[in-house]
Amino acid sequence: MEKWLRQRPELVDAYSELVEQLKNSASHQDLLDAYLTAKRASAVAFQSLLRANIPKQETAWHTIRHTLEYEMDREYGRVLPDWARKIPYSSRTHQELFSLLADRLGEPVPADYLRVITADAVHAERRVRELRELGLPVIPAKVADADTYTLRSLELDKSYIHSIARNTIKANKNIPDSERQRLLSFLQS
């Protein structure tokens, strides 16, 4: 909350400048500059506000990740190296998006709301898709012409373990193609 309180005066100044430019029929360049300044200040400030007020879902997040690690080791522990069994998407952003969705479990969450956490429209939706790649039942939909995402439950679809391992192996550019093919062959049996 401290960060939000520190950023609030800067946000007020940015909006004041934008309003001033609008009132004075400023040049299009001055108006655009004021808008972009206000937009950047808004993204940073409101991200801080949301982060300060995200309901903590750390236990659920860690349980999901531990479940994935357990299932990955159970399925592929004897045939794949450690790096190929690593569970991706462990960033703060992934955890925060999960927390926002889990707090409203079963309810649609507007994409605009989720975008605040990343301060970037493209990355928020990509990170939510990555949560689905972990096997979380996140359902995209349109509600009243707005994009939304609903986390249906905290139950994982464990069949995603196969895709996680395959994608990790394919993404590793540090191994020879022959090794990549050998490891991928374990996933086909």
Side-chain angles (χ1 to χ4, degrees):
M1 197 60 137
E2 274 182 47
K3 196 170 182 182
W4 159 254
L5 294 173
R6 283 194 319 270
Q7 292 168 334
R8 212 163 104 183
E10 182 182 327
L11 183 59
V12 169
D13 290 345
Y15 277 108
S16 296
E17 178 62 26
L18 178 57
V19 168
E20 192 61 35
Q21 295 294 338
L22 286 167
K23 284 181 181 178
N24 293 332
S25 300
S27 74
H28 72 280
Q29 187 62 51
D30 291 342
L31 189 55
L32 186 58
D33 289 344
Y35 162 73
L36 291 173
T37 298
K39 182 179 175 186
R40 281 189 295 273
S42 293
V44 170
F46 285 106
Q47 181 186 53
S48 295
L49 178 64
L50 186 56
R51 280 183 166 162
N53 292 289
I54 290 176
K56 299 299 179 206
Q57 298 286 341
E58 290 174 2
T59 301
W61 176 248
H62 292 300
T63 299
I64 284 166
R65 295 198 57 83
H66 289 305
T67 300
L68 287 168
E69 289 167 358
Y70 172 80
E71 292 297 326
M72 183 70 80
D73 286 343
R74 188 178 65 77
E75 186 74 24
Y76 299 116
R78 293 190 173 143
V79 294
L80 295 179
D82 290 347
W83 65 263
R85 298 189 322 268
K86 186 174 187 284
I87 304 301
Y89 313 134
S90 60
S91 73
R92 174 183 180 181
T93 300
H94 289 100
Q95 183 175 354
E96 290 170 339
L97 289 169
F98 169 80
S99 292
L100 290 170
L101 291 165
D103 183 56
R104 297 181 181 189
L105 190 65
E107 300 173 19
V109 178
D112 289 339
Y113 191 75
L114 297 172
R115 288 180 194 127
V116 173
I117 207 64
T118 62
D120 182 307
V122 174
H123 288 79
E125 277 124 353
R126 183 177 299 149
R127 300 295 88 84
V128 171
R129 281 193 306 273
E130 290 167 351
L131 292 176
R132 287 196 334 240
E133 289 174 19
L134 294 176
L136 286 165
V138 180
I139 310 302
K142 284 248 189 229
V143 174
D145 290 331
D147 291 329
T148 66
Y149 294 91
T150 303
L151 178 60
R152 297 267 184 194
S153 76
L154 298 179
E155 294 297 316
L156 285 168
D157 180 346
K158 294 172 187 162
S159 69
Y160 280 77
I161 296 295
H162 178 81
S163 298
I164 292 169
R166 185 185 70 239
N167 293 340
T168 301
I169 293 166
K170 284 183 174 183
N172 187 335
K173 303 301 179 202
N174 296 323
I175 60 171
D177 286 340
S178 59
E179 177 66 2
R180 182 177 296 103
Q181 290 308 316
R182 186 184 76 74
L183 293 172
L184 288 172
S185 71
F186 292 127
L187 302 176
Q188 296 175 13
S189 49

